[in-house]
Amino acid sequence: MAVKHSVFDFQAPEKDLRNDDLLRNQLFEILRKYHTRGPVVSTELEDGKSCLYIFVGKDGGHWTLRSFPTGLVTLDVMQCGKEESGEELSVNKDQLKCLAKEMCNALLPVKSLHLPPINRGADINTYYPTLDDLLIQYDFDRLVYETNSPHQNIKVLHSMQFGNVLILDNDINLAESDIIYTKTITGSGREDFKDKTILILGGGDGGILNELLQFSPKFVTMVDIDVDVINCAIKYLRGICGDALDNLSGEHHKVHVDDCVKHLQQYITEGRTFDYVINDLTAIPVTKEPRGSLWEFLRLILDLSMKVLSPSGKYFTQGNSHNKPDALLMYEQQLAKLSCPVQYRKEGVFVPSYHEKWVFYEIWKTDQSPNS
Amino acid sequence: MAVKHSVFDFQAPEKDLRNDDLLRNQLFEILRKYHTRGPVVSTELEDGKSCLYIFVGKDGGHWTLRSFPTGLVTLDVMQCGKEESGEELSVNKDQLKCLAKEMCNALLPVKSLHLPPINRGADINTYYPTLDDLLIQYDFDRLVYETNSPHQNIKVLHSMQFGNVLILDNDINLAESDIIYTKTITGSGREDFKDKTILILGGGDGGILNELLQFSPKFVTMVDIDVDVINCAIKYLRGICGDALDNLSGEHHKVHVDDCVKHLQQYITEGRTFDYVINDLTAIPVTKEPRGSLWEFLRLILDLSMKVLSPSGKYFTQGNSHNKPDALLMYEQQLAKLSCPVQYRKEGVFVPSYHEKWVFYEIWKTDQSPNS
C-alpha cells in the first residue's frame, strides 16, 4: 500500500472560515463531492482564531482542512492506494487539479499552491534532501542492489535520467551520469597525468581510476576500505568505473582494499611520494576506529597527504555544498592549520545527481622543500 | 507567519497502535514532551483498523499521528512560526531529530523517513515541480522582480547557487548559471556561426543572442513577443544576456519585439532564408491568438521555420524532459508530418536550474531543393 499525501495552500486573508458559515459549507460541499465523508472532526483551536476539520475518504485516507489566523487555509489529502502496484487512487491527479480550482473559486486566495503528492511509506524512498536541507524528490524507480557491508549500507537505485545511483548510508554518492564530478575532482582537464604517480584515497566506485587510466599515468594507487563498494561498482556502476576495476592490479594501477590512513603512514615511513593525491573519501569517515571529530579526521588526512605529496604535487578533494558557506569557510580554516603552508583554489560545479552545486578544492604546498 | 510542516513516516508492521495501550501512551508521552497538548482528537477510522490523533502545539500548530492498516504510522507536525522574520520555531530542527529518534525507539520500525519541513503559506514559493511531477524545492531567498506583461507573469527569483532565475507563468525558464542550456541549443560547439545568418524565435532572455554574437555571425535576427522579458533580462539577468540586449539593433543583430509567426510569414513572402533557425519559444505559446492545439502550434512553427531555412541549414530547438518519453515521441511524430522531409538528432543534458535532464533537437531538411 502507498499513501499519497497531496498538499494545498490557499492564502485568503479576507476569509474567515470559522465565522463564515456559507463559505465553510461551500468548502465542505466541495470536499464531499470528492467522495469524502464528514467532517468527522470539527474543532476550533484554542487561539480562538483558527479551526480544523477532518474528512474521511472512501479509501480510508483522511483529509485535513485547516485555517490559520493569518488567512492561510491548508488542505492535506492523504489517500490510500495501491498505486505502486498499478491500482488507481480514488481521486486522481486531474481530479485534484479540479478540486484545487474549486477551492480557489470559493476562497479567492491572493495566492495558492498545489504540490505533487508526497509518497508516504513507499517501498522505495525517493526523497533525499540536499546538504542545505532542501526537499528533493528523485525519479528512482527500482532498487538494483542493497547490502550492509562491515562499513556501511550500500544501495544502488535506478533513475531514468541518472542511470544507476550509488547511495552510501542514505547519502547520494555518485550516479552513472555524474562524469562532471570525476572531471572536476581530477582538475577539470587542466592537469597532464601522463607518466605521473597518483594516489586515490577512497574512490571505491572506480570513477577516478577509470578516468585517470585514460591518460597514461605512470602508476595509480588506490586505497579504499570497502571491497563491497568495489564489487558493487564492478557489477552495477559500469557507467562510472568502466572496466577499470575488473582487475584490481595491472601494469599501471593497484587497488588496495584497506584503511587509507595506514597506507599513508606507511608511505611516509618509506619516503614514497606522489605527483597527485586525490581524496575521494566520503564526507563522514566510515572507519570504525575513533579518530576524534570529523574536522580532526579531515585534518589528519590532509596532513598525511601533504607528507606524501611531491613538492610540486597537487591534492584534489571534493569539499561541500556551495550553499554551505560556513562549512566551506571552516574547511578553509583547517587548511591554515596544516603542518605545512598550502595554497588552494576552489571550483563549484552542479553535480546532477546531487541536485546541488558542489565545491571542489585543489591544494598545493607553497613551501616546496621536501617533507617540510 | 510561516507554517512549517514536518513529515515523519514509520513503517512498523508488527505494531498495532489501536489495540496497544502501552505503545499508544508511550507515543503520546513523547509528543507531550515536545510541548503539545492532547490528543484533543482521538478517532478510530471506519475501516476499524486505523486510528488518528490530533495534538495541538503551544504555537497553535497541530500535530497529526495516524496509523494505517499496513503498519505505517505517520506523524505530521504543523508548526506556526515567524521564521521568515527570524523568530525560532517552538520545536527546532535538532529537537525534531530527537523526536524522530524517540518515535523509532518506541515503534521499532523496519524503516523510517523524516523529510525537511515543507513551507506552507511562505512569502516566496520555493517549490517548482519538474515536468514529470517530482517535488523539487529551490533555494530561492529573494524576489528580485515581478510584473505581469500583456503576455505572461514575469518573475525573477534569486538563488544562492543559480544566481537570478527567470520564471515565466510559474515555469522555471532559465537561470544565470544555465550556460549549458544556451550551449546545447546552439549545437554544443559543433557549429561554426562565423558569417552565418541566424534567426532566433523567442529568446527574450538574450542568452542565445549573447552566445552567438561572440562567434562573428553575419547577422542575427531575433523575434520575441514580450518586451518586458527583454527589459527584465537587461536589468536582472546579465549573467545570461551580458550586454547583448543593451542595443536592440547593431551591425550584426536586430531584435524585433513582435509575434514570430508574422515575421516568419513575411520572410517566406520575401524569399528570405537563414543558415540557422533557433527556436527558443516557451513550450506553451504565449500569444493570445487562438492557433489550435499546442501540437498544431508547434507544427506551424516548424513548418514555417523549414521554409525560411536554407537548404543546408539547421534548426535547433529545446524539446522536453528526458523523463517524458511519450512527449518526446509525440514531438518526433510531428516531425514526420512536416511539409518537407527532415532528419534529426537529439541530445539530453541536465539543466541545473530545471533540476532535470532536458532533451534538445537538431533538425535539418533531407530534400535539399529550395522551398521544398
Side-chain angles (χ1 to χ4, degrees), chain B residues 42-43 71 94 182 199-200 218-219 263 271 288:
Chain B
S42 287
T43 186
D94 288 338
T182 306
L199 174 64
I200 305 170
K218 187 171 172 191
F219 204 83
H263 274 256
K288 295 287 189 283

Coordinates of all heavy atoms in Angstrom, one line a residue, chain B residues 42-43 71 94 182 199-200 218-219 263 271 288:
Chain B
S42 N -9.3 12.0 19.2 CA -8.9 10.6 19.1 C -10.0 9.9 18.4 O -11.1 10.0 18.8 CB -8.8 10.0 20.5 OG -7.7 10.4 21.2
T43 N -9.7 9.4 17.2 CA -10.8 8.8 16.5 C -10.3 7.5 15.8 O -9.2 7.5 15.2 CB -11.4 9.8 15.5 OG1 -12.5 9.2 14.9 CG2 -10.4 10.2 14.4
G71 N 0.5 -1.0 8.9 CA 1.6 -0.8 9.9 C 2.3 0.5 9.7 O 3.3 0.8 10.4
D94 N 16.9 20.3 15.5 CA 17.5 19.3 16.3 C 16.6 18.5 17.2 O 16.7 17.3 17.4 CB 18.7 19.9 17.1 CG 19.8 20.3 16.2 OD1 20.0 19.8 15.1 OD2 20.6 21.2 16.6
T182 N 22.2 27.2 -23.1 CA 22.5 28.1 -24.3 C 23.5 27.3 -25.2 O 23.3 27.4 -26.4 CB 23.1 29.4 -23.8 OG1 22.1 30.0 -22.9 CG2 23.3 30.4 -25.0
L199 N 18.3 33.1 -37.3 CA 17.0 33.6 -36.8 C 16.7 33.0 -35.4 O 16.7 31.7 -35.3 CB 15.9 33.3 -37.8 CG 14.5 33.6 -37.4 CD1 14.3 35.1 -37.2 CD2 13.5 33.1 -38.4
I200 N 16.5 33.8 -34.4 CA 16.1 33.3 -33.1 C 14.6 33.6 -32.9 O 14.2 34.7 -33.0 CB 16.9 33.9 -32.0 CG1 18.4 33.8 -32.2 CG2 16.5 33.3 -30.6 CD1 19.2 34.7 -31.2
K218 N 27.2 36.7 -39.5 CA 26.9 37.8 -40.4 C 25.8 38.6 -39.9 O 25.9 39.8 -39.8 CB 26.5 37.1 -41.8 CG 26.3 38.2 -42.9 CD 26.1 37.4 -44.2 CE 25.7 38.4 -45.3 NZ 25.3 37.7 -46.5
F219 N 24.7 38.0 -39.5 CA 23.6 38.7 -38.9 C 22.7 37.8 -38.1 O 22.3 36.7 -38.5 CB 22.8 39.4 -40.0 CG 22.1 40.6 -39.5 CD1 22.7 41.8 -39.3 CD2 20.7 40.5 -39.0 CE1 22.0 43.0 -38.8 CE2 20.1 41.6 -38.5 CZ 20.7 42.8 -38.4
H263 N 6.4 37.4 -38.6 CA 7.7 37.6 -39.2 C 8.1 36.4 -40.1 O 8.7 36.6 -41.2 CB 8.8 37.8 -38.1 CG 8.9 39.2 -37.7 ND1 9.9 40.0 -38.1 CD2 8.1 40.0 -37.0 CE1 9.8 41.3 -37.6 NE2 8.6 41.2 -36.9
G271 N 11.1 35.6 -49.6 CA 12.1 34.6 -50.0 C 13.4 34.7 -49.2 O 14.4 34.2 -49.7
K288 N -1.9 35.4 -27.5 CA -3.3 35.3 -27.1 C -4.2 34.9 -28.2 O -5.4 34.5 -28.1 CB -3.8 36.7 -26.5 CG -3.1 37.1 -25.2 CD -3.5 36.3 -24.0 CE -3.0 36.8 -22.7 NZ -1.6 36.6 -22.5

